[in-house]
Amino acid sequence: MLRAIVLAAGKSTRMKTALPKVLHEICGRPLLWYVLTALRAAGIKDIYVVTNPQLHERIGELGVEGILQAEPLGTGHAVQIALKNLPIDKSGQILIACGDMPLVQAELFRGLIASLGADRKTALALVTARMPLPSDFGRVVRRGTHVQRIVEARDATVDELAIDEMNAGIYAFDETILRQAIGSLRDDNAQREYYLTDTVDMLARKGERIVPVISGDHLHVLGINDRVELAHARSEMNRRLCEQHMRDGVTIVDPNTTYLEPELTLGRDTVIYPNTTLARLSRVGESCVIGPNARLSAAELGARVTVQNSVIFDSTIGDEVSIGPFAHIRGNARLEADVHIGNFVEVKNSHLAAGVKASHLSYIGDATIGERTNIGAGTITCNFDGQKKNRTTIGKDVSIGSNTSLVAPVTVGDGALTGASSVVTKDVPAGERVAGNPARPLPKK
Ligand code: UD1
Ligand code: MG
């Protein structure tokens, strides 16, 4: 059986944070989420995360089991505790990764598992990477081609610090051999910690087979220890996400100022202009034009939608809708096909049927509006009576005059009209024309 242990109980001193380090986010997901996703993509189902008390309370959010390490006495101690909690499997394999490496990819885990092999001839496969110096990663000390031991930067001699092959902190062990070694760790080092890395020296001395797996790109194993590295990882992850969508047929005018998250759906021939953020599982159809300066979160857009300088949260937008510049669509708004929302219009929790236009300076909240209705400039649905929100219902083919206030709850029937500056306090029947404050029927023509 192959199981994974993810180490995430460290103190995160350099992060200077109240939030557990691995819950800090890049591109809308916690650091730990990326590691878990890569492990799962490599086919590993049994994953255990070693947690500190703070992280332990929240680990369920990530859909994975936590094993509590009450005191962070080192990576070796973390693995000791994890193994105590896992039933023994004499022919098992244990993959160990750190929870603070969001750029790691499933291929690396697959390569590591393949290098350990299933014939039990190899005790340990570990990932190494060449990196620019100086670096605070542990150094891989080799004798000839054989990995001999790992020395932590803090414990290293000047000569050892000149080694540019680093320990990535990702290992695949034969479980039985790991269990034997882990009990004999000691904390006689600069940090007075039990180092998992000391097992390498122990195995090498016993003549066990240790296979290094070199990661071609050291960024993939970048461990996040402070907020500078966090920003670095974010920009690398964002670059990857942008490239993936560009390869799938999306034009991103400036990837440096387009902010994406995993698990977005973007249709072909959609163009994204600069300073645009797409978040929380947003879905964008084909041939849309998004941005510049747009923010979409949990938004679902059909095809050929235009969104300029606008914000869309938690809302659904039909085909060929145009939004903005400077519009705010939120709170479960539903805009059907061909709706036009112009500048300085806010739409909240409302259903706008096909062809509705609200081109300038309006607030549409808690409203239902029928097909082809035109909402004049400056129209306000007065939905809040001081205690509760009330609904406004407007039929189809209605003409709402500029600066109309609709005092909800109120209904305006199909084909009705309100004059400029009407204050509508009573229901308007279908076909009626009203004006004034309070609005009254106009004489029939
Ligand atoms: C560790 C390695 C180092 C390697 C580097 C790669 C050791 C001794 N050193 O150093 O060789 O180059 O990772 O990033 O292993 N953790 C626990 N419990 C603890 C201590 C740490 O769960 O008691 C977790 C941390 O949350 C972190 C991981 O283990 O996710 C690594 O710990 P960290 O303190 O970051 O080790 P490094 O100094 O980076
Ligand atoms: Mg680290």
Side-chain angles (χ1 to χ4, degrees), residues 95-428:
L95 193 148
I96 299 173
C98 297
D100 60 358
M101 264 177 211
L103 300 173
V104 70
Q105 295 196 313
E107 290 149 41
L108 190 63
F109 292 137
R110 283 194 213 105
L112 192 66
I113 297 162
S115 296
L116 182 63
D119 56 8
R120 305 208 55 207
K121 289 197 176 129
T122 304
L124 164 64
L126 84 169
V127 178
T128 76
R130 297 221 174 265
M131 280 186 204
L133 296 173
S135 158
D136 53 11
F137 272 67
R139 305 301 203 264
V140 178
V141 181
R142 296 201 188 217
R143 182 186 288 144
T145 56
H146 293 282
V147 173
Q148 200 185 358
R149 63 194 179 91
I150 308 250
V151 59
E152 290 309 295
R154 292 212 217 176
D155 302 301
T157 62
V158 174
D159 284 351
E160 286 165 340
L161 282 176
I163 298 173
D164 68 351
E165 186 182 16
M166 309 298 170
N167 170 34
I170 305 174
Y171 321 83
F173 280 96
D174 177 286
E175 179 177 332
T176 301
I177 292 175
L178 175 62
R179 284 185 187 271
Q180 282 159 5
I182 204 82
S184 351
L185 291 177
R186 304 203 344 224
D187 65 351
D188 49 356
N189 51 54
Q191 303 189 74
R192 305 229 59 87
E193 284 187 0
Y194 296 92
Y195 289 166
L196 176 60
T197 43
D198 285 349
T199 56
V200 176
D201 179 46
M202 287 181 200
L203 302 187
R205 281 171 197 272
K206 284 192 187 161
E208 297 283 5
R209 197 172 132 102
I210 301 173
V211 180
V213 174
I214 300 171
S215 162
D217 185 342
H218 73 271
L219 277 183
H220 291 198
V221 296
L222 179 72
I224 309 302
N225 295 306
D226 62 28
R227 297 187 202 236
V228 175
E229 287 164 346
L230 187 73
H232 208 152
R234 192 213 61 76
S235 96
E236 172 63 16
M237 179 58 71
N238 196 60
R239 189 186 60 77
R240 267 190 208 171
L241 292 166
C242 286
E243 286 183 4
Q244 189 186 316
H245 288 291
M246 291 190 282
R247 295 216 161 83
D248 287 343
V250 176
T251 296
I252 298 183
V253 174
D254 182 9
N256 289 319
T257 60
T258 299
Y259 304 93
L260 301 186
E261 289 188 3
E263 303 178 294
L264 298 168
T265 309
L266 305 181
R268 277 191 178 191
D269 292 319
T270 279
V271 179
I272 302 182
Y273 282 98
N275 292 323
T276 291
T277 300
L278 303 184
R280 288 180 48 222
L281 310 176
S282 286
R283 301 167 73 88
V284 174
E286 294 190 354
S287 303
C288 292
V289 178
I290 312 293
N293 306 311
R295 185 153 171 227
L296 271 55
S297 176
E300 190 160 343
L301 274 55
R304 299 172 298 286
V305 174
T306 306
V307 181
Q308 291 186 58
N309 297 277
S310 292
V311 171
I312 306 177
F313 278 9
D314 306 302
S315 294
T316 308
I317 313 296
D319 294 345
E320 323 236 338
V321 168
S322 69
I323 295 174
F326 312 114
H328 185 188
I329 314 293
R330 66 184 176 99
N332 201 23
R334 272 197 304 137
L335 277 49
E336 305 285 355
D338 298 311
V339 164
H340 170 71
I341 299 294
N343 39 210
F344 306 108
V345 174
E346 177 178 357
V347 182
K348 184 214 83 172
N349 188 29
S350 293
H351 178 219
L352 277 53
V356 168
K357 288 190 171 58
S359 299
H360 334 266
L361 301 156
S362 288
Y363 173 58
I364 300 170
D366 304 300
T368 304
I369 305 180
E371 286 153 35
R372 296 173 300 277
T373 284
N374 187 71
I375 306 289
T379 294
I380 306 291
T381 54
C382 310
N383 60 334
F384 188 51
D385 59 14
Q387 251 122 49
K388 61 178 194 315
K389 302 284 170 65
N390 298 295
R391 285 204 77 80
T392 299
T393 306
I394 303 173
K396 57 186 179 192
D397 300 309
V398 172
S399 179
I400 300 287
S402 294
N403 224 21
T404 295
S405 298
L406 297 146
V407 183
V410 73
T411 298
V412 178
D414 292 347
L417 174 148
T418 69
S421 290
S422 299
V423 178
V424 181
T425 55
K426 293 205 181 94
D427 290 354
V428 178

